[in-house]
Amino acid sequence: FGEGDAAFDAEGQLGEPSKEEQAQLDTNEIMAEVNDAAFEDPEQGDSVGEVDELTGVASEDGSGDRDSLEDTAELGERLHDDDIESEELVDGDEDDEDDEDEEEEEIPTSPRAYGYVDIGDGKFTLLNQVNPNSKKHFKMVGTKFLTLAHAWESAGWRHRYDASPAVALYLTKPITKVPGSVGKMISQVSKSSCIGGSKGAQLRCKVGLADAHGCSYNDLRISPPQYNLLQRDDCLEYMRVAALPENARKQWIFKDGGAFHGRRMKFYEGLKSEVKKKYGKCTKNRKDAGLIMMEYVAQPVLFARKKFDLRTYMLIASTKPFLVFYHEGFVRRSGTAYVNGTFSKLGHITNHKSQDKQAGHFWSFEQLENYLVDEQGFPAGYMGTEFRNYVKHVTNYIFQAARFRLKRRSGAFMLFGLDWMIDQGRNVHFLEANGNPTIQNYEGTNLGPRIWNTMASLVTLVQREPETLNKGGDMTVRQGFKYAGWELVFNEAEELISGKSYNACQLPEYEECKDPDRCPVW
């Protein structure tokens, strides 16, 4: 997980913790272990509970953007119609904070309630979400990434261990109880199971978004076609598709939606009798972690004869309004050569836990770009144009699938890791998202510590001093706003003012958005 916490002395230097501080560290470590056991991945997790009430409604006072606010509300209602009330998406405690410390949820009824002011001519002013004059002190609760602590120190924050009310930022893992955190910055967005929860929860939400807009998620080809065998309609469709004569040799990968690190995965060719016998009746209709059957990407692009996947990052930097950013990540290459038709864990599963003893596991996007161009015949600049532009659009789709379930809270932000694969036809496949990904410097990738330092600086400015970023009201996707390597993919204020509601069925192809400075708001 990291190098572990260490206390800071009066000058902010590393020092030995006191007895009281050590007791708090021990408590944090126990909480971290409890959190790990509750979620599908020790590197991720999710705040869970009942689906949120609608958070976008028409303005009652008639102040600006009534049509856009009504459209947003209507979409939220459509997305919620298919949900079972009070259904937990993944196991775990219901909320991130103690009930008695829970901030009353506000339903936005005007631009100001969304966190911005319309200043005319398509421009806006962003409102700070927390007190910009509070001391920049932070506390870590239930997480032990020293790299993360250093990142926030680089942004001018000081690490505290006591219960001082001066703490203005809590860095925490999901379901950890954080008394006193209301009105402060906190590194969790509640009800985010749709992004970083179980595979079943992620799939339901992505499918639901497409359904709400009148199209099929599998037809969008964002991910390889996949079916939840514990959902009756999905199960029936899989049995139909897999039984087609032309799919007799099609390869499938079976995933337990609650497992992680490649555990309990199985590889199948065609519709196997054991699968048909066990699941073929399709009698179940459960909303739990799920049992996912996904079409296998059998012809991936290989990096020196070895399979690889790619990690990018999505940062929800604010929920009032929603501000979502993309950042490139790194490449994870398997340790042994890939052979289609055989299933070797080291040859097929590329995540770090499965490959942690393999040399040359992490690579940078630049190194991959050079290889793809020189050895695979990809066009020059592929990673920075074709891949990047498409992935940014899909990143927004993944966010939109969760948007009307996420809980708005002043000061809340959250980081997610998104995993991808490229096939030999240059098609990009989204695999899954991970909440609270590991924070480390990933030697050889040219990422750390810069990516974490700039993330901390960006979130600090968004939450405390947003107008230092939004000079002239141009912090928009249309203007191609960037902060260091963090690229804006969605600004809710921009959407509401423009009146152009997001349409999941109009996901653009690569060629439609080559110039990021002129990309429309999708």
Side-chain angles (χ1 to χ4, degrees), residues 77-85 207-208 211-212 287 405:
E77 290 169 352
R78 291 168 64 194
L79 286 171
H80 282 283
D81 284 343
D82 296 331
D83 283 323
I84 296 178
E85 293 184 0
V207 169
D211 288 347
K287 287 194 173 183
R405 295 167 175 81

Side-chain angles (χ1 to χ4, degrees), residues 207-453:
V207 169
L209 178 63
D211 288 347
H213 287 90
C215 58
S216 162
Y217 178 69
N218 279 343
D219 287 348
L220 290 174
R221 304 295 296 186
I222 291 173
S223 301
Q226 51 190 303
Y227 310 90
N228 187 345
L229 300 185
L230 297 185
Q231 291 280 290
R232 176 176 170 77
D233 290 345
D234 257 19
C235 179
L236 289 171
E237 181 64 8
Y238 166 72
M239 295 299 167
R240 184 192 70 82
V241 170
L244 294 174
E246 59 266 33
N247 291 333
R249 301 298 302 274
K250 186 179 288 295
Q251 297 172 355
W252 302 90
I253 188 165
F254 176 85
K255 301 180 179 181
D256 183 329
F260 50 89
H261 294 156
R263 297 171 184 167
R264 295 195 290 278
M265 282 187 179
K266 294 183 179 180
F267 178 84
Y268 295 107
E269 185 174 85
L271 179 55
K272 293 299 184 183
S273 59
E274 64 178 278
V275 175
K276 190 173 182 179
K277 180 179 179 180
K278 189 168 185 178
Y279 304 105
K281 293 183 179 180
C282 299
T283 57
K284 299 183 184 299
N285 205 29
R286 291 160 42 185
K287 287 194 173 183
D288 53 14
L291 296 174
I292 309 300
M293 191 69 80
M294 184 174 75
E295 184 176 319
Y296 192 58
V297 182
Q299 300 295 332
V301 173
L302 301 181
F303 192 166
R305 299 178 56 240
K306 297 177 180 180
K307 187 177 176 182
F308 66 90
D309 71 353
L310 305 96
R311 163 65 58 89
T312 63
Y313 292 97
M314 175 175 73
L315 172 67
I316 300 177
S318 166
T319 64
K320 291 185 177 182
F322 281 119
L323 299 174
V324 185
F325 291 84
Y326 157 90
H327 200 293
E328 72 173 44
F330 51 82
V331 178
R332 297 179 294 197
R333 192 179 70 170
S334 65
T336 60
Y338 173 81
V339 180
N340 186 21
T342 64
F343 192 78
S344 160
K345 186 173 183 179
L346 290 180
H348 288 254
I349 308 300
T350 55
N351 66 55
H352 182 43
K353 185 68 175 180
S354 300
Q355 304 281 344
D356 59 1
K357 299 186 186 306
Q358 304 299 314
H361 180 49
F362 293 112
W363 298 77
S364 68
F365 275 25
E366 182 180 4
Q367 289 171 310
L368 177 62
E369 160 84 11
N370 293 336
Y371 181 82
L372 294 178
V373 172
D374 295 343
E375 303 295 333
Q376 297 285 345
F378 276 52
Y382 170 82
M383 291 300 297
T385 54
E386 225 175 278
F387 175 86
R388 171 172 152 269
N389 292 336
Y390 179 72
V391 165
K392 285 169 63 178
H393 285 299
V394 176
T395 297
N396 190 21
Y397 183 99
I398 294 162
F399 163 74
Q400 297 291 340
R403 177 180 175 184
F404 294 99
R405 295 167 175 81
L406 298 174
K407 180 175 180 180
R408 296 178 188 270
R409 170 176 171 164
S410 298
F413 62 96
M414 192 168 180
L415 179 70
F416 299 87
L418 277 53
D419 297 336
W420 314 83
M421 188 167 289
I422 305 171
D423 68 26
Q424 293 180 12
R426 291 188 1 220
N427 301 303
V428 179
H429 303 272
F430 170 67
L431 301 179
E432 64 182 21
N434 302 275
N436 294 279
T438 299
I439 303 295
Q440 64 183 57
N441 288 335
Y442 297 108
E443 185 177 353
T445 64
N446 299 325
L447 278 181
R450 176 184 53 83
I451 181 175
W452 314 124
N453 294 350

Side-chain angles (χ1 to χ4, degrees), residues 456-510:
S457 296
L458 172 60
V459 172
T460 298
L461 293 174
V462 164
Q463 296 285 344
R464 294 169 62 103
E465 306 172 62
E467 282 309 293
T468 61
L469 299 171
N470 190 43
K471 295 177 181 178
D474 290 329
M475 187 180 173
T476 64
V477 177
R478 185 176 294 278
Q479 294 296 322
F481 178 83
K482 302 177 183 178
Y483 181 87
W486 295 94
E487 304 179 41
L488 187 66
V489 298
F490 181 71
N491 183 328
E492 188 174 36
E494 177 183 12
E495 179 194 59
L496 293 173
I497 288 175
S498 73
K500 296 181 179 179
S501 298
Y502 179 83
N503 189 334
C505 301
Q506 294 180 351
L507 188 75
E509 299 295 336
Y510 303 149

